[in-house]
Amino acid sequence: MATLDEKPATADDVLPLALTNYGHFTSMRVDADRTIRGLTLHMERLARDCRIVYGADLDTGRVRDHVREALDGQAGPCVVRVTIYDPAVEMGHPADAENPSVLVTVRPAGKLPPAPLRAMSVQYERDLPHVKHCGLFGALHARRAAQLAGAEDALFVGRDGLVSEGGTWNAAFVDGNGAVVWPQAPVLPGVTMALLQQHATGIEHRTATVTLDQAKAMAAAFATNTSIGVRALSAIDDTELPTQNPTLAALRDAYLSIPGEPL
């Protein structure tokens, strides 16, 4: 069930998302003990993006209340998506969107870690990449192209030839020395990415430009987001990549050891 400002959402409530799709969101994995890794970072993202998208302040305490209400009766790990949008917005007058509401949806979470992922490089650059917005057409079109070609998802490469991110995930690589290389490119500042950089102690993290050829020559590659944690990439295009790597194992352990924050 979807709730809008703690009330059951109707078809009319969500119609603006289907017709206009102007809004932003965050997705959070909720563990069985009702805690969320990086909850503070997710709330900071929502508040930051709300100022960018709507020029409005967001009451994150109210958001947390809505999430708690939506989780009532839910069992087991799940993924909560919080979408911020103005149900009254019209395509011709987006400047009038100034009263954002909180839509909360819940779905079951998969097991961690998921199976390795085969990616296909696709030239694509997201609009306003530093915002987790609802404009997913381009990313999903790239994902569809990758799946039709036999891969599972798309790895974005900009017009400059540099790797940036994946369909709905941050991409990173492990070099020959065991260091993690995060692409220097316009990307979404991912919560899981930030948590790994903060908590995966003993592992060198650096940011650098990564060409597609360099990506394929790395010792390992992986995807990160709240739903998948650390997911190895088994291939980029026709280049097979190792999925067993000491740094990948250490990153997974570090992520799973991060204590969740109570709602």
Side-chain angles (χ1 to χ4, degrees), residues 112-208:
L112 292 177
L117 177 72
R118 297 187 66 89
M120 185 182 87
S121 61
V122 177
Q123 187 179 82
Y124 179 65
E125 300 170 11
R126 290 194 308 114
D127 293 330
L128 210 64
H130 58 288
V131 172
K132 194 173 180 69
H133 54 75
C134 296
L136 296 175
F137 175 83
L140 294 182
H141 186 66
R143 176 175 286 171
R144 181 176 188 273
Q147 292 175 350
L148 290 175
E152 293 170 281
D153 210 339
L155 177 67
F156 301 154
V157 180
R159 286 166 289 184
D160 55 7
L162 298 178
V163 171
S164 58
E165 55 191 350
T168 49
W169 37 270
N170 287 110
F173 305 91
V174 180
D175 68 14
N177 297 316
V180 176
V181 182
W182 300 94
Q184 183 177 315
V187 301
L188 180 74
V191 169
T192 305
M193 176 176 71
L195 290 174
L196 289 172
Q197 292 171 345
Q198 294 169 10
H199 294 274
T201 57
I203 299 174
E204 179 187 350
H205 295 261
R206 59 188 175 89
T207 302

Side-chain angles (χ1 to χ4, degrees), residues 14-242:
V14 298
L15 195 59
L17 282 177
L19 298 180
T20 306
N21 205 29
Y22 188 78
H24 64 95
F25 72 100
T26 198
S27 293
M28 304 176 287
R29 182 184 176 97
V30 184
D31 287 327
D33 61 358
R34 294 296 178 87
T35 63
I36 298 172
R37 293 180 187 85
L39 175 62
T40 298
L41 295 177
H42 282 289
M43 293 300 106
E44 290 175 354
R45 164 190 281 167
L46 287 175
R48 180 185 65 244
D49 289 356
C50 194
R51 288 190 291 269
I52 294 171
V53 175
Y54 292 107
D57 291 326
L58 181 68
D59 183 351
T60 56
R62 179 169 66 100
V63 172
R64 291 166 73 136
D65 289 342
H66 293 347
V67 172
R68 278 193 291 267
E69 181 70 20
L71 288 173
D72 188 39
Q74 296 285 337
C78 57
V79 175
V80 172
R81 171 169 163 160
V82 177
T83 303
I84 309 299
Y85 76 107
D86 187 344
V89 69
E90 296 178 357
M91 186 176 294
H93 302 281
D96 293 341
E98 56 185 17
N99 188 28
S101 292
V102 180
L103 177 73
V104 180
T105 54
V106 183
R107 62 179 172 84
K111 294 182 179 179
L112 292 177
L117 177 72
R118 297 187 66 89
M120 185 182 87
S121 61
V122 177
Q123 187 179 82
Y124 179 65
E125 300 170 11
R126 290 194 308 114
D127 293 330
L128 210 64
H130 58 288
V131 172
K132 194 173 180 69
H133 54 75
C134 296
L136 296 175
F137 175 83
L140 294 182
H141 186 66
R143 176 175 286 171
R144 181 176 188 273
Q147 292 175 350
L148 290 175
E152 293 170 281
D153 210 339
L155 177 67
F156 301 154
V157 180
R159 286 166 289 184
D160 55 7
L162 298 178
V163 171
S164 58
E165 55 191 350
T168 49
W169 37 270
N170 287 110
F173 305 91
V174 180
D175 68 14
N177 297 316
V180 176
V181 182
W182 300 94
Q184 183 177 315
V187 301
L188 180 74
V191 169
T192 305
M193 176 176 71
L195 290 174
L196 289 172
Q197 292 171 345
Q198 294 169 10
H199 294 274
T201 57
I203 299 174
E204 179 187 350
H205 295 261
R206 59 188 175 89
T207 302
T209 57
V210 180
T211 67
L212 185 57
D213 286 341
Q214 288 172 331
K216 294 177 180 180
M218 292 287 185
F222 61 97
T224 70
N225 70 22
T226 190
S227 300
I228 61 177
V230 176
R231 184 177 188 180
L233 298 187
S234 60
I236 300 175
D237 297 331
D238 293 329
T239 300
E240 302 290 329
L241 294 168

